[in-house]
Amino acid sequence: MMLPVRENISVEIVEENKVMTTKTHKIQMFGDRIYGKIDGLKAMEQACFKILNTERYAYLIYSWNYGIELKDLFGKPKSYCKVVLEERIKEALLQDSRVLEVYNFSFKDLARSVLAVTFTVNTIYGEMNLRKEVQI
């Protein structure tokens, strides 16, 4: 038995580049609650917070591209940490395709072993100013 053969069949492959939505659960940053939904710039602020508070390579659940390396900065001089932190913050946040640029870094010594860094993150949803305190 032979199967019929059709001629002149064309197949068109269409690729779509979809930008994923930022809609996510709202997390109470300094508590133990998850409630509601957020989107846009607020969701990006939360995503950046999570990236900058996750030690890279420490958790199997996350890709090796997720998080920031901070452990090895303990005990290092602040002058060294300022240079390294700027690059590591940029690298960590730019892994997210919605982040366009990270710039305008400023550092402040809070205590003998605490360094505060403020910076601007430009995303596809707009700009936001963030702050991260690092124990060194």
Side-chain angles (χ1 to χ4, degrees), residues 73 76-86 107 115 136:
L73 296 180
K76 300 282 196 273
K78 286 186 179 180
S79 57
Y80 170 79
C81 292
K82 289 177 183 178
V83 174
V84 172
L85 267 175
E86 184 172 335
F107 295 90
L115 191 60
I136 55 173

Side-chain angles (χ1 to χ4, degrees), residues 93-94 96-103 121-126:
L93 294 178
L94 289 171
D96 190 318
S97 62
R98 300 167 295 179
V99 175
L100 304 173
E101 187 179 13
V102 184
Y103 61 96
V121 180
N122 184 14
T123 73
I124 62 174
Y125 301 102

Side-chain angles (χ1 to χ4, degrees), residues 104-120:
N104 200 24
F105 284 84
S106 156
F107 295 90
K108 182 176 182 181
D109 293 343
L110 295 182
R112 189 171 66 112
S113 62
V114 179
L115 191 60
V117 56
T118 57
F119 50 94
T120 303

